[in-house]
Amino acid sequence: TAKSNTVAQAAGKKYFGSATDNPEFTDAAYLAILSDNTYFGQITPGNSMKWDATEPEQGTFTFSGGDAVVSLAQGNSQLVRGHNCVWYNQLPSWVSSGSWTNATLTAAVQNHCSTLVSHYKGDIWDIINEPFNDDGTWRSDVFYNTMGTSFVDVALIAARAADPNAKLYINDYNIEGTGAKATAMMSLVSDLKSRGIPIDGVGLQGHFIVGEVPTTMQTVMEQFVALGVEVAITELDIRMTLPETDALLEQQKTDYQNVISACNAVTGCVGVTIWDYTDKYSWVPSTFSGQGAACPWDANLVKKPAYDGIIAGFSA
Ligand code: G3I
């Protein structure tokens, strides 16, 4: 049977990838599939490179969790997507509840991004994660509230200096279809480009609901690419209200195929990452009560119809 990364690369994409998380590495059957680079050419650490994991105390860095992901990926000849430098969530309390001035928080963001990106040198980085509210306004968090929009510039400039070869991304959800939030992201990219701030890509997370995948994905991706950046689908999963039925699984297959086809149709869409490959380790059930079954492999690590949708999407 066709393998997801092999077909993605045959279609001209750089990779088909998966998120993972360190506790899952003790599951040998899980790890065997994750490590098969004909399935996955790229991995993203789901938690272990976040701020709370990497700089729990100011100036004290702990790289062990992220290092384990990088060494796994290198052993399998897989790309790594660093995730992430600046996000309002999973912050240590010294950041989220610190008494900051613009100058002191600027220095802390600079030091965090510079240290992280220089330690995990290499491939791709989500430098900024989820900066916008769904209506396209800026999210009210410690960074925006203290630094205004300059936190974006500060983080990107520090990251570029730390590793000139890494692809630097801004990543968000609900920007996969046309609307206020996608428009806000386009304005941000245009503004960064016009001021010479380094930005290479926009990540469209892709946390979808079965039957509700936006129909304007290709259009949105083309609009981003026209601004001079690449795009990627970075956190794809398509959840349903449980229990799963054959009809829901068939609709999910169609939905996966449509998402992959949209990326496939856009030259500047460089790859697709699913937010873990199996329902066994999906974040969905713990966040959305009564929902789940969002991944292409089931909880027994058996491929679902969604997997065939992925293959079909790359083959179109
Ligand atoms: O590490 C602690 C553990 O010590 C404790 O016993 C346990 C009890 O709940 O919690 C553990 O922390 C959890 C952490 O994942 C590691 O497993 C947190 O509670 C839990 O909230 C956290 O969830 C992560 C979530 O981000 C946090 O917002 C998910 O695993 C991770 O998949 C998810 O990923 C995000 C992306 O980074 C950004 N886009 C959305 C995506 C899905 O929410």
Side-chain angles (χ1 to χ4, degrees):
T1 60
K3 301 295 197 65
S4 44
N5 187 49
T6 306
V7 294
Q9 293 186 337
K13 303 301 160 187
K14 288 188 183 164
Y15 59 82
F16 181 79
S18 177
T20 187
D21 205 0
N22 298 64
E24 301 162 23
F25 294 175
T26 58
D27 179 339
Y30 169 85
L31 195 60
I33 296 172
L34 182 72
S35 298
D36 183 340
N37 65 20
T38 65
Y39 282 126
F40 306 112
Q42 176 273 328
I43 57 181
T44 305
N47 285 298
S48 54
M49 290 186 191
K50 290 173 178 175
W51 202 317
D52 60 354
T54 53
E55 196 185 3
E57 308 292 337
Q58 186 164 17
T60 304
F61 286 84
T62 52
F63 295 122
S64 53
D67 285 348
V69 174
V70 170
S71 107
L72 178 80
Q74 286 176 345
N76 301 328
S77 304
Q78 293 162 320
L79 299 171
V80 175
R81 182 179 201 95
H83 178 82
N84 52 57
C85 284
V86 178
W87 187 30
Y88 75 93
N89 203 353
Q90 287 174 289
L91 289 172
S93 57
W94 70 266
V95 178
S96 51
S97 317
S99 20
W100 298 108
T101 64
N102 188 356
T104 59
L105 190 56
T106 296
V109 168
Q110 254 163 358
N111 188 50
H112 184 72
C113 293
S114 162
T115 305
L116 222 60
V117 174
S118 101
H119 181 84
Y120 299 115
K121 269 204 179 59
D123 305 320
I124 314 158
W125 261 102
D126 292 324
I127 298 300
I128 305 292
N129 199 38
E130 302 175 3
F132 294 117
N133 296 313
D134 281 348
D135 66 0
T137 58
W138 287 84
R139 188 185 290 277
S140 168
D141 62 16
V142 64
F143 305 108
Y144 180 73
N145 292 338
T146 309
M147 299 171 61
T149 61
S150 75
F151 75 89
V152 176
D153 300 11
V154 167
L156 287 167
I157 291 168
R160 181 68 99 224
D163 181 2
N165 296 318
K167 294 284 188 190
L168 308 182
Y169 272 67
I170 304 177
N171 188 49
D172 214 328
Y173 60 89
N174 291 349
I175 59 166
E176 301 87 354
T178 50
K181 197 172 186 178
T183 301
M185 187 65 86
M186 289 173 202
S187 303
L188 173 57
V189 169
S190 303
D191 172 59
L192 294 170
K193 285 271 175 193
S194 72
R195 292 185 297 111
I197 307 295
I199 177 70
D200 300 311
V202 173
L204 290 68
Q205 292 187 3
H207 293 294
F208 295 129
I209 296 170
V210 165
E212 298 179 26
V213 169
T215 54
T216 50
M217 282 196 80
Q218 186 181 331
T219 303
V220 163
M221 288 193 276
E222 282 165 350
Q223 289 170 340
F224 279 119
V225 170
L227 301 175
V229 289
E230 60 183 46
V231 296
I233 296 163
T234 54
E235 306 186 12
L236 179 62
D237 53 22
I238 311 183
R239 63 188 186 265
M240 61 183 71
T241 299
L242 300 172
E244 7 183 322
T245 62
D246 288 349
L248 284 166
L249 291 169
E250 278 306 308
Q251 180 63 48
Q252 184 182 51
K253 172 185 175 180
T254 301
D255 292 338
Y256 267 96
Q257 180 172 344
N258 287 341
V259 174
I260 301 290
S261 300
C263 175
N264 212 21
V266 179
T267 306
C269 182
V270 300
V272 177
T273 306
I274 48 179
W275 204 241
D276 225 320
Y277 74 84
T278 163
D279 293 333
K280 188 171 186 180
Y281 297 121
S282 171
W283 69 293
V284 167
S286 60
T287 303
F288 300 99
S289 171
Q291 299 182 50
C295 301
W297 276 257
D298 72 15
N300 298 314
L301 311 182
V302 175
K303 294 186 194 105
K304 295 155 61 175
Y307 181 84
D308 299 321
I310 291 168
I311 299 298
F314 282 125
S315 310

